[in-house]
Structures are given as structure tokens and as C-alpha cells.
Amino acid sequence: MAEFTRRDFLKYALAGVGAVLAARFITACSSPQTAQNNPPMPAPVTPATEENDTSAVKYPDLAVVRGGEPEALARKAVELLGGIRRFVKKGDNVIIKPNIGPAMRTYEYAATTNPWLVAAVARLCLEAGAGRVRVMDQPFSGTAESGFLNSGIREEVEKAGGEIELMSRFKYASTDIPLGRDIKKWNIYEDILKADVLINIPIAKQHGSALLTLGMKNLMGAVQAAQLFHLNLHQRIADLASRVRPTLTILDAIRILTANGPTGGDLRDVKKLDTVIAGCDIVAVDSYATSLFGLRPDDIPHIKIAAEMGLGSNDLYKLNIREVTLGS
């Protein structure tokens, strides 16, 4: 990415070089698309310095923070990536996408995103001057209302000043997926596509079909008829990741579910790691997260496919990874 400038992109785009190069350009720190049915377009992130000059600033591809409470983990991870104002500008419409499925579980079972982590990110966005911070998801079982209640996310987000939004079935729009290999169009939640900033906060857990559910898999909560993804699950997850592109992914590995996912229900399957993995490259975040389960990125087909599609990097040897343990 570093050798490919915005000027280079425009030159190639005008010459009609193709969408694959465009996808590679927007992999890092892009904003969600602002209009449906349009191909993804690059969008630079907000500079981190007051002088608006980041030419000499090199941020890590991934920030991995261990050994602290959820809020401290979130704050340090975002700080390592350049600070929240790199991603959120004053007045921005921010959407946070956690995982609240299944709706009956409390956070201890590691089937839903840690509520204090979600609240911490909402608080960070508001501190940066976001105009509105909404948290939304739909569970794969039960109702969103019960999911937000049982997970504890509603209580903590509202304390932080954020809003819980129950996704309306009337807000899904048929959306082109120009880079998709299997699906070229799907009903995607329009507000997510139109947000200024989309922050994806998946929880890391084992999954019977997808093998693992991480950042890309979590995006299935943004679509209608998600069950139909299972007809070609891994390719469709990657296809969706080519269209719904979070500004930032902050993976919750405070507790991970190591077996019987995605529903869980047995605390013996839960491993407490007190870790957060954050980055702009969702493929890179997912790739690193495989190591939590003793796996490699290529063990998860949708990660391998997404890397082949140019949606991000799964090469952990080439990524700039900053790892910090709090208090050490």
C-alpha cells in the first residue's frame, strides 16, 4: 500500500485498469461507501496531526493489546493506530457493528461482543466529536431487542451516550457488489452503507460452518437473508467484505469461544485472553486472530479468498504489527 499513492490510483482508475487494483487501494482505513449500487471508491482517513500532514507518519497495520480491562484495551489499541481522531471527525455519523447473536447469551459465554468494549468505542467516538453513534446488529437467533439486553450491550452503550438501533426491515436496499465473484447483488442495510464511519467489533469464536467467526463473518449481520450465504459460505463472506468495508475493525478477544460455536453455552469452552486486535485491514485482523485458535490464515477459506481478491493482507510476516501488554 505504501508505494501506491492516491495520484497513482486516479491515474490507473481513469485508464480503466480495473476494480481489483481499486480494491487494493481502499483496503487500509477506507470509509464505508456513501451511495448504494456504486463501485467502492477510495476515501482517505483523517490525518492524526494538527498540521494535517501525515506524510512522515507510519502507523502499524495491526495493534494487539493485552492484559487490561476492556476500556483500557480499546483506548490503547486505537491510540497505537493513530488515535480516534484519525478515524472520526466532528459531526460524523458513526455506526458500530458488534455481534449479538445468539440473543439468549450473556457476555460470559463469549458468544456476543463484550459490552464494555463496545461502550468504550462508542465513548471514544463521542469524545472525538461524532454527531451520532449508533450500535446495531441482528442476532441469528432470538430478537435484537433481547440480544442487546442479555449481552449487556444496551445498558453499557446507553451509559456511554450511544444509541441502540433495532434494524428495520424497511431499510435494506438491493445493492450491487461489483467485486463479488459469486454474489453480485444483495440486500444490505442502507444506513451501514451510508455511515461516515463504520466500526466493526466482532468477537472471536469457533463456528461450525465458517470454522471461525471474526471480522468478515460479522458483516453478515448487515444483510437480509443471511442464511442463504451458506450456499457458498466462504466466497460469499469475502464477496460481502468487498462491498461493506469498515473504517476500523476492533476484534474482541477478551474472552474467546473455542468450541461449540457460534452459539456456545458451556463456560468450559471459553478462554479468557484479555486481548484486543485492531486495524483498518479486516483481512489482516482476521488473519492474526486465527493464531488465537492455533490456526493459520489459510486454514480459513474466506480469509484466503479475500486475500486473493485483493481485499487485504493475510501475510503475517509482512504486516507491521505492534503488540503491547498493558502494565508491563
Side-chain angles (χ1 to χ4, degrees):
M1 297 301 299
E3 71 276 9
F4 204 77
T5 66
R6 181 180 179 83
R7 177 173 297 178
D8 292 331
F9 170 79
L10 292 172
K11 179 175 68 177
Y12 280 103
L14 289 171
V17 168
V20 173
L21 278 176
R24 287 176 177 165
F25 183 83
I26 64 174
T27 293
C29 301
S30 62
S31 295
Q33 293 72 59
T34 56
Q36 63 171 356
N37 298 331
N38 288 326
M41 294 296 291
V45 296
T46 304
T49 65
E50 293 181 357
E51 295 78 13
N52 286 345
D53 179 10
T54 58
S55 58
V57 178
K58 298 292 184 185
Y59 300 112
D61 299 308
L62 294 178
V64 181
V65 185
R66 303 182 178 90
E69 295 299 316
E71 176 136 5
L73 293 170
R75 286 184 178 275
K76 189 62 180 179
V78 172
E79 176 193 323
L80 292 173
L81 293 173
I84 191 64
R85 288 176 177 80
R86 182 183 175 208
F87 308 103
V88 178
K89 294 177 287 188
K90 188 174 182 181
D92 270 353
N93 170 27
V94 177
I95 289 179
I96 295 174
K97 167 69 178 70
N99 186 329
I100 63 164
M104 80 288 278
R105 294 281 179 252
T106 55
Y107 77 94
E108 294 95 336
Y109 291 92
T112 56
T113 304
N114 183 287
W116 293 277
L117 179 63
V118 179
V121 176
R123 195 174 291 113
L124 275 168
C125 294
L126 291 168
E127 289 171 3
R132 189 180 188 192
V133 178
R134 287 177 289 167
V135 177
M136 60 182 70
D137 188 27
Q138 53 179 350
F140 60 82
S141 66
T143 66
E145 191 168 16
S146 61
F148 280 118
L149 179 66
N150 293 331
S151 66
I153 291 175
R154 173 182 286 280
E155 179 179 357
E156 296 306 320
V157 165
E158 290 180 346
K159 282 183 192 172
E163 306 171 36
I164 296 294
E165 178 164 316
L166 302 181
M167 296 167 76
S168 166
R169 64 188 177 92
F170 300 110
K171 286 190 174 183
Y172 291 87
S174 179
T175 304
D176 289 338
I177 305 176
L179 301 180
R181 291 177 173 176
D182 183 45
I183 53 174
K184 293 291 186 181
K185 188 183 289 286
W186 207 272
N187 283 357
I188 301 176
Y189 204 69
E190 208 168 12
D191 284 7
I192 287 178
L193 295 174
K194 291 181 175 178
D196 297 313
V197 177
L198 173 62
I199 301 180
N200 186 26
I201 314 184
I203 184 166
K205 55 181 179 176
Q206 187 270 344
H207 191 286
S209 301
L211 305 180
L212 294 179
T213 175
L214 304 168
M216 285 187 282
K217 175 71 171 59
N218 195 44
L219 299 178
M220 284 174 61
V223 306
Q224 271 184 324
Q227 69 276 12
L228 295 179
F229 269 51
H230 289 266
L231 295 175
N232 190 3
L233 183 60
H234 292 286
Q235 182 61 60
R236 292 185 175 191
I237 289 172
D239 287 351
L240 179 62
S242 76
R243 186 62 181 88
V244 179
R245 303 190 62 80
T247 311
L248 187 61
T249 295
I250 301 174
L251 184 132
D252 170 13
I254 296 166
R255 294 166 182 257
I256 66 170
L257 182 61
T258 61
N260 297 310
T263 301
D266 188 337
L267 290 175
R268 291 173 296 185
D269 296 331
V270 176
K271 187 175 182 182
K272 195 166 186 291
L273 298 179
D274 290 328
T275 298
V276 160
I277 303 162
C280 305
D281 181 341
I282 191 171
V283 180
V285 171
D286 284 6
S287 295
Y288 187 97
T290 62
S291 67
L292 305 177
F293 298 85
L295 299 172
R296 297 184 177 188
D298 281 357
D299 292 330
I300 308 301
H302 63 262
I303 295 178
K304 184 177 181 181
I305 293 169
E308 290 170 353
M309 292 171 68
L311 303 179
S313 175
N314 64 346
D315 190 339
L316 296 176
Y317 292 101
K318 292 183 178 177
L319 290 170
N320 177 7
I321 303 172
R322 180 79 188 279
E323 301 188 61
V324 170
T325 299
L326 297 178
S328 64

